Amino acid sequence: AMYAAFREGRGTRDLCGPSGLTTEQFVDTVAEDLGERMATGKAPAPRPVAGSSDGAEAPEAVLHPSRSFRRNYNLDEERMRQLFGRFDTNGDGNISFDEFVEMSQELGIAPMRPDAWHEDEEREARRADIEAGPRGRVRRWASIEEPKLY
């Protein structure tokens, strides 16, 4: 119920900023959710965001509070801007998909295609076999007393 409240934009001011609920309002909204969950056994439908002028439902996108509201927010924002600028090669203030791909590859977080991942695994296995020498390397244990050599 607490997670749903934050996800739907009904979090406290210390984490959601000035538009957030007071502690008392937050406790009340979580209590309502818990009451409905216990009565029906199901999670309640998403509720309108508190303070919305038209009373409309919260947008479908999940709302996340700014990380700067966290107590452990210790980022060096100037260095983050430098890092962003390093990958924003055209200087437009946005990271395009091509810039994102370049950044992901340079940082080593780009996902590989399954066939490329398989080739990489095979290459690493061949390298390990060469390093192990003529006796081979232990790949699986048949038992603790007798390893199975390939």
Side-chain angles (χ1 to χ4, degrees), residues 97-149:
F97 182 75
D98 291 335
E99 292 168 333
F100 175 73
V101 168
E102 190 66 34
M103 176 185 73
S104 298
Q105 288 176 329
E106 187 168 327
L107 296 176
I109 59 171
M112 296 172 67
R113 291 186 322 272
D115 57 328
W117 179 80
H118 186 67
E119 290 170 9
D120 194 44
E121 288 287 315
E122 288 177 349
R123 185 173 37 258
E124 288 296 318
R126 284 192 302 275
R127 186 184 61 76
D129 286 337
I130 291 169
E131 289 177 0
R135 194 162 163 239
R137 62 186 170 105
V138 175
R139 291 195 186 170
R140 292 189 206 137
W141 291 94
S143 70
I144 299 245
E145 295 81 29
E146 184 179 336
K148 187 173 184 181
L149 299 175

